[in-house]
Amino acid sequence: MRLALVGFGKMGHMLAEAAKIRGHEIVCTVDIQASDATCVTNDPAVMVDAVRKSGAEAVIEFSHPSSALANINALVATGLPLVVGTTGWLDSLDSIRVQVEKSGSALLHSANYSVGVNLFYRIVSDAARLMAEFENYDVALFESHHNQKADSPSGTGLELARRVMEGMPGKKRLVTDAFDRRPEPDELHLASVRIGSVPGTHTVWFDSAADTIELTHTARNREGLALGAVRATEWLSAPDSRGKRKVGVFTMNDVFDSL
Ligand SMILES: NC(=O)c1ccc[n+]([C@@H]2O[C@H](COP(=O)([O-])OP(=O)(O)OC[C@H]3O[C@@H](n4cnc5c(N)ncnc54)[C@H](O)[C@@H]3O)[C@@H](O)[C@H]2O)c1
């Protein structure tokens, strides 16, 4: 496939590597400042022009939360399958969805493209459902990340907590602060630590008086994220089960549901 990358920073460069490994060609890279990008601009119209002229068949966007919405608006109009890694624009998802459907295009977004994390989501959902049948097990979550991470808890931690609560209906309220009292039985604790260079670790504990079951995903680097975003692009660009071009807004759940 011929691919365009919008945002040619750390992830953009990793995406280029991952795409080449999977046999794709990078025909266009757009950035507001990267000197090795094929198009350096902060004008969405110029970006779209460069993408169109490159003959790209799909676009992957990993730029900056402040520019994601403008980029998405401009790129959706091209009708090309669009995979978005940048976060911070989901408040506008409804209006983007309308635009995607109007232009007959396809957009896929995820807060975490790692194949391993998405498998871990499924494992945790299954485990939570199973553990809910044994009322003597309590559950809690823990996540650690490098000290450059701006937000806490991680989006991945929140998604894991959502899945635990979905599977264990006894847990109804998420607590992400430190406890200065005993937790209530219906509270689910998600604790965060920021330290050094940790790329991202997420643990779910199921604990009884007799034992602990500990499920942990440990990221070693960002390669899994880039590979997952490229696989998502392949999925989005492929016809659906009826042989039709995909139209609409999708997430990594759709990719994994179809495997
Ligand atoms: N969803 C995921 O799985 C996932 C994984 C990693 C990173 N991210 C997100 O992806 C984004 C990029 O991450 P990164 O580590 O590559 O950051 P980075 O700072 O290394 O690179 C971002 C690049 O985007 C460029 N940029 C900024 N505004 C732009 C615009 N309007 N048009 C084109 N390029 C623009 C910057 O100049 C920079 O080169 C961040 O928002 C990050 O949170 C998401």
Side-chain angles (χ1 to χ4, degrees), residues 28-89:
C28 177
T29 51
V30 184
D31 199 286
I32 54 169
Q33 58 182 8
S35 55
D36 54 348
T38 57
C39 173
V40 178
T41 182
N42 60 6
D43 181 344
V46 176
M47 168 189 70
V48 163
D49 197 42
V51 169
R52 280 207 174 108
K53 283 186 177 143
S54 71
E57 295 162 286
V59 185
I60 309 180
E61 208 275 2
F62 277 72
S63 63
H64 190 270
S66 62
S67 47
L69 198 55
N71 283 351
I72 293 167
N73 272 309
L75 289 166
V76 163
T78 66
L80 293 171
L82 172 62
V83 167
V84 181
T86 315
T87 49
W89 57 275

Coordinates of all heavy atoms in Angstrom, one line a residue, residues 28-89:
C28 N 4.5 9.9 1.3 CA 4.4 11.3 1.7 C 4.5 11.4 3.2 O 3.9 10.6 3.9 CB 3.0 11.8 1.3 SG 2.6 13.5 1.7
T29 N 5.3 12.4 3.7 CA 5.4 12.6 5.1 C 5.2 14.1 5.3 O 5.9 14.9 4.7 CB 6.8 12.2 5.7 OG1 7.8 12.7 4.9 CG2 6.9 10.7 5.7
V30 N 4.3 14.5 6.2 CA 4.0 15.9 6.4 C 4.2 16.2 7.9 O 3.9 15.5 8.8 CB 2.5 16.2 6.1 CG1 2.2 17.7 6.3 CG2 2.1 15.7 4.8
D31 N 4.9 17.4 8.1 CA 5.2 17.8 9.5 C 5.3 19.3 9.5 O 5.6 19.9 8.4 CB 6.5 17.2 10.0 CG 6.6 17.2 11.5 OD1 6.8 18.3 12.1 OD2 6.4 16.2 12.2
I32 N 5.0 20.0 10.6 CA 5.1 21.4 10.6 C 6.6 21.9 10.7 O 6.9 23.0 10.5 CB 4.3 22.0 11.8 CG1 4.7 21.4 13.1 CG2 2.8 21.9 11.6 CD1 4.1 22.2 14.3
Q33 N 7.5 21.0 11.1 CA 8.9 21.4 11.3 C 10.0 20.4 10.9 O 11.1 20.7 10.7 CB 9.1 21.9 12.7 CG 8.8 20.8 13.7 CD 9.0 21.2 15.2 OE1 9.2 22.4 15.4 NE2 8.9 20.3 16.1
A34 N 9.6 19.1 10.9 CA 10.7 18.1 10.7 C 11.4 18.2 9.3 O 10.7 18.2 8.3 CB 10.0 16.7 10.8
S35 N 12.7 18.4 9.4 CA 13.4 18.8 8.1 C 13.5 17.6 7.2 O 13.7 17.8 6.0 CB 14.8 19.3 8.5 OG 15.5 18.3 9.3
D36 N 13.3 16.4 7.7 CA 13.3 15.2 6.8 C 11.9 14.8 6.3 O 11.8 13.8 5.6 CB 14.0 14.0 7.5 CG 13.3 13.7 8.8 OD1 12.5 14.4 9.3 OD2 13.6 12.6 9.4
A37 N 10.9 15.6 6.6 CA 9.6 15.3 6.0 C 9.5 15.8 4.5 O 10.2 16.7 4.2 CB 8.5 16.1 6.8
T38 N 8.7 15.1 3.7 CA 8.6 15.5 2.3 C 7.8 16.8 2.1 O 7.9 17.5 1.1 CB 8.0 14.4 1.4 OG1 6.7 14.1 1.9 CG2 8.8 13.1 1.5
C39 N 7.0 17.1 3.1 CA 6.2 18.4 3.0 C 6.2 19.0 4.4 O 5.8 18.4 5.4 CB 4.8 18.1 2.6 SG 3.7 19.5 2.7
V40 N 6.8 20.2 4.5 CA 6.8 20.9 5.8 C 5.8 22.1 5.7 O 6.0 23.0 4.9 CB 8.2 21.4 6.1 CG1 8.2 22.2 7.5 CG2 9.2 20.3 6.2
T41 N 4.7 22.0 6.5 CA 3.7 23.0 6.4 C 2.8 23.0 7.7 O 2.7 21.9 8.3 CB 2.8 22.8 5.2 OG1 1.8 23.9 5.2 CG2 2.0 21.5 5.3
N42 N 2.2 24.1 8.1 CA 1.2 24.0 9.1 C -0.1 24.4 8.6 O -1.1 24.7 9.3 CB 1.6 24.9 10.4 CG 1.8 26.3 10.0 OD1 1.5 26.7 8.8 ND2 2.2 27.2 10.9
D43 N -0.2 24.4 7.3 CA -1.5 24.7 6.6 C -2.2 23.4 6.2 O -1.7 22.7 5.3 CB -1.2 25.6 5.4 CG -2.4 26.0 4.6 OD1 -3.5 25.4 4.9 OD2 -2.3 27.0 3.8
P44 N -3.4 23.1 6.8 CA -4.0 21.9 6.4 C -4.3 21.7 4.9 O -4.3 20.6 4.4 CB -5.3 21.9 7.2 CG -5.0 22.8 8.4 CD -4.1 23.8 7.8
A45 N -4.6 22.8 4.2 CA -4.9 22.8 2.8 C -3.6 22.3 2.0 O -3.7 21.5 1.1 CB -5.4 24.1 2.3
V46 N -2.5 22.8 2.4 CA -1.2 22.4 1.7 C -1.0 20.9 2.0 O -0.5 20.2 1.2 CB 0.0 23.3 2.2 CG1 1.3 22.8 1.6 CG2 -0.3 24.7 1.9
M47 N -1.2 20.5 3.3 CA -1.1 19.1 3.7 C -1.9 18.2 2.8 O -1.4 17.2 2.2 CB -1.5 18.9 5.2 CG -1.6 17.5 5.6 SD -2.3 17.3 7.2 CE -4.0 17.9 6.9
V48 N -3.2 18.6 2.7 CA -4.1 17.7 1.9 C -3.6 17.7 0.4 O -3.7 16.6 -0.2 CB -5.5 18.3 2.0 CG1 -6.4 17.8 0.9 CG2 -6.1 18.0 3.3
D49 N -3.2 18.8 -0.1 CA -2.7 18.8 -1.5 C -1.5 17.9 -1.7 O -1.4 17.1 -2.6 CB -2.3 20.3 -1.8 CG -2.2 20.5 -3.3 OD1 -3.0 20.0 -4.0 OD2 -1.2 21.1 -3.7
A50 N -0.6 17.9 -0.7 CA 0.6 17.0 -0.7 C 0.2 15.6 -0.7 O 0.7 14.7 -1.4 CB 1.6 17.4 0.4
V51 N -0.8 15.3 0.2 CA -1.2 13.9 0.3 C -1.9 13.4 -1.0 O -1.6 12.3 -1.5 CB -2.2 13.8 1.5 CG1 -2.9 12.4 1.5 CG2 -1.5 14.0 2.9
R52 N -2.8 14.3 -1.5 CA -3.5 13.9 -2.8 C -2.5 13.6 -3.9 O -2.5 12.6 -4.6 CB -4.4 15.0 -3.2 CG -5.7 15.0 -2.4 CD -6.8 15.6 -3.2 NE -8.1 15.4 -2.6 CZ -8.8 16.4 -2.0 NH1 -8.3 17.7 -2.0 NH2 -10.0 16.2 -1.4
K53 N -1.5 14.6 -4.1 CA -0.6 14.5 -5.2 C 0.4 13.3 -5.0 O 0.9 12.8 -6.0 CB 0.3 15.8 -5.3 CG -0.5 16.9 -5.9 CD 0.4 18.1 -6.1 CE -0.4 19.2 -6.8 NZ -0.1 20.5 -6.3
S54 N 0.6 12.8 -3.8 CA 1.5 11.7 -3.6 C 0.9 10.3 -4.1 O 1.7 9.4 -4.2 CB 1.8 11.6 -2.1 OG 0.7 11.1 -1.4
G55 N -0.4 10.3 -4.3 CA -1.0 9.0 -4.7 C -1.2 8.1 -3.5 O -1.4 6.9 -3.7
A56 N -1.1 8.6 -2.3 CA -1.3 7.8 -1.1 C -2.7 7.1 -1.1 O -3.7 7.7 -1.6 CB -1.2 8.6 0.2
E57 N -2.7 5.9 -0.6 CA -4.0 5.1 -0.6 C -4.6 5.2 0.8 O -5.8 4.8 1.0 CB -3.8 3.7 -1.0 CG -3.3 3.5 -2.4 CD -2.7 2.2 -2.7 OE1 -1.5 2.0 -2.2 OE2 -3.4 1.3 -3.3
A58 N -3.8 5.6 1.8 CA -4.3 5.7 3.2 C -3.4 6.7 3.9 O -2.2 6.9 3.5 CB -4.3 4.3 3.9
V59 N -3.9 7.2 5.0 CA -3.1 8.2 5.8 C -3.1 7.8 7.3 O -4.1 7.3 7.8 CB -3.8 9.6 5.7 CG1 -2.9 10.7 6.4 CG2 -4.1 10.0 4.3
I60 N -1.9 8.0 7.9 CA -1.8 7.7 9.3 C -1.4 9.1 10.0 O -0.4 9.7 9.6 CB -0.8 6.7 9.7 CG1 -1.0 5.4 8.8 CG2 -0.8 6.3 11.2 CD1 0.0 4.3 9.1
E61 N -2.2 9.5 11.0 CA -2.0 10.8 11.6 C -1.5 10.6 13.1 O -2.2 10.1 13.9 CB -3.3 11.6 11.6 CG -3.2 13.1 11.6 CD -3.0 13.7 12.9 OE1 -2.9 13.0 14.0 OE2 -2.9 15.0 13.0
F62 N -0.3 11.0 13.4 CA 0.3 11.0 14.7 C 1.0 12.4 14.9 O 2.2 12.5 14.6 CB 1.3 9.9 15.0 CG 0.7 8.6 15.4 CD1 0.1 7.8 14.5 CD2 0.8 8.1 16.7 CE1 -0.5 6.6 14.8 CE2 0.3 6.9 17.1 CZ -0.4 6.1 16.1
S63 N 0.2 13.4 15.3 CA 0.9 14.8 15.3 C 0.8 15.3 16.8 O 1.6 14.9 17.6 CB 0.2 15.7 14.3 OG -1.1 15.9 14.6
H64 N -0.1 16.2 17.0 CA -0.2 16.8 18.3 C -1.6 17.1 18.7 O -2.4 17.5 17.8 CB 0.6 18.2 18.3 CG 0.8 18.7 19.7 ND1 -0.1 19.6 20.2 CD2 1.8 18.5 20.6 CE1 0.3 20.0 21.5 NE2 1.4 19.3 21.7
P65 N -2.0 16.9 19.9 CA -3.4 17.1 20.3 C -4.0 18.5 19.8 O -5.1 18.6 19.4 CB -3.4 17.0 21.8 CG -2.3 16.1 22.1 CD -1.2 16.4 21.1
S66 N -3.1 19.5 19.8 CA -3.6 20.8 19.4 C -4.0 20.9 17.9 O -4.7 21.8 17.5 CB -2.6 21.9 19.8 OG -1.4 21.7 19.0
S67 N -3.4 20.1 17.1 CA -3.7 20.2 15.7 C -4.5 19.0 15.1 O -4.8 19.0 13.9 CB -2.3 20.3 14.9 OG -1.4 19.3 15.4
A68 N -4.7 18.0 16.0 CA -5.4 16.8 15.5 C -6.7 17.1 14.8 O -7.0 16.6 13.7 CB -5.6 15.8 16.6
L69 N -7.5 17.9 15.5 CA -8.9 18.2 14.9 C -8.9 18.8 13.5 O -9.6 18.4 12.6 CB -9.7 19.0 15.9 CG -11.2 19.0 15.7 CD1 -11.8 17.6 15.7 CD2 -11.9 19.8 16.8
A70 N -8.0 19.8 13.4 CA -7.9 20.5 12.1 C -7.4 19.5 11.0 O -7.9 19.5 9.9 CB -7.0 21.7 12.2
N71 N -6.4 18.7 11.4 CA -5.9 17.7 10.5 C -6.9 16.7 10.1 O -7.1 16.4 8.9 CB -4.7 17.0 11.1 CG -3.4 17.8 11.1 OD1 -3.4 18.9 10.5 ND2 -2.4 17.3 11.7
I72 N -7.7 16.2 11.1 CA -8.7 15.2 10.8 C -9.8 15.8 9.9 O -10.2 15.2 8.9 CB -9.4 14.7 12.1 CG1 -8.3 13.9 12.9 CG2 -10.6 13.8 11.8 CD1 -8.8 13.6 14.4
N73 N -10.3 17.0 10.2 CA -11.3 17.6 9.4 C -10.8 17.7 7.9 O -11.6 17.4 7.0 CB -11.5 19.0 9.9 CG -12.7 19.0 10.9 OD1 -13.7 18.5 10.7 ND2 -12.4 19.6 12.1
A74 N -9.5 18.1 7.7 CA -9.0 18.3 6.4 C -8.8 16.9 5.7 O -9.2 16.8 4.5 CB -7.7 19.1 6.4
L75 N -8.4 15.9 6.4 CA -8.0 14.7 5.8 C -9.3 13.8 5.5 O -9.3 13.1 4.5 CB -7.1 13.9 6.7 CG -5.6 14.5 6.8 CD1 -4.9 13.9 8.0 CD2 -4.9 14.2 5.5
V76 N -10.3 13.9 6.3 CA -11.5 13.2 6.1 C -12.1 13.6 4.7 O -12.6 12.7 4.0 CB -12.6 13.5 7.2 CG1 -14.0 13.1 6.8 CG2 -12.2 12.7 8.5
A77 N -11.9 14.8 4.3 CA -12.5 15.3 3.1 C -11.8 14.7 1.9 O -12.3 14.7 0.8 CB -12.3 16.8 3.0
T78 N -10.6 14.1 2.1 CA -9.9 13.4 0.9 C -10.6 12.1 0.6 O -10.4 11.5 -0.5 CB -8.4 13.1 1.3 OG1 -8.4 12.1 2.3 CG2 -7.7 14.3 1.7
G79 N -11.4 11.5 1.6 CA -12.0 10.3 1.3 C -11.1 9.1 1.5 O -11.5 7.9 1.4
L80 N -9.8 9.3 1.9 CA -8.9 8.2 2.1 C -9.1 7.6 3.5 O -9.4 8.3 4.4 CB -7.4 8.7 2.0 CG -7.0 9.2 0.6 CD1 -5.6 9.9 0.7 CD2 -6.9 8.1 -0.4
P81 N -8.9 6.3 3.6 CA -8.9 5.7 4.9 C -7.9 6.4 5.8 O -6.8 6.7 5.4 CB -8.5 4.3 4.7 CG -8.7 4.0 3.2 CD -8.6 5.3 2.5
L82 N -8.4 6.8 7.0 CA -7.5 7.6 7.9 C -7.4 7.0 9.3 O -8.4 6.7 10.0 CB -8.2 9.0 8.1 CG -7.6 10.0 9.1 CD1 -6.1 10.3 8.8 CD2 -8.4 11.2 9.2
V83 N -6.2 6.7 9.7 CA -5.9 6.1 11.0 C -5.3 7.2 11.9 O -4.3 7.8 11.6 CB -5.0 4.9 10.9 CG1 -4.4 4.5 12.3 CG2 -5.7 3.7 10.2
V84 N -6.0 7.5 13.1 CA -5.5 8.6 13.9 C -5.0 8.1 15.2 O -5.7 7.3 15.9 CB -6.7 9.6 14.2 CG1 -6.3 10.7 15.0 CG2 -7.3 10.1 12.9
G85 N -3.8 8.5 15.5 CA -3.1 8.1 16.8 C -3.2 9.2 17.8 O -3.1 9.0 19.0
T86 N -3.2 10.4 17.3 CA -3.2 11.6 18.2 C -4.5 11.6 19.1 O -5.6 11.3 18.6 CB -3.2 12.9 17.4 OG1 -2.2 12.8 16.4 CG2 -2.8 14.1 18.3
T87 N -4.3 11.9 20.3 CA -5.5 11.9 21.3 C -5.9 13.3 21.5 O -5.3 14.2 21.0 CB -5.1 11.1 22.6 OG1 -3.9 11.7 23.0 CG2 -5.0 9.6 22.4
G88 N -6.9 13.5 22.4 CA -7.3 14.8 22.8 C -8.4 15.5 21.9 O -8.6 16.7 22.1
W89 N -9.0 14.8 21.0 CA -10.0 15.4 20.1 C -11.4 14.7 20.2 O -12.3 15.0 19.6 CB -9.6 15.4 18.7 CG -9.2 14.0 18.2 CD1 -8.1 13.3 18.3 CD2 -10.1 13.0 17.5 NE1 -8.1 12.0 17.8 CE2 -9.4 11.9 17.3 CE3 -11.5 13.1 17.1 CZ2 -10.0 10.7 16.7 CZ3 -12.0 12.0 16.5 CH2 -11.3 10.8 16.3

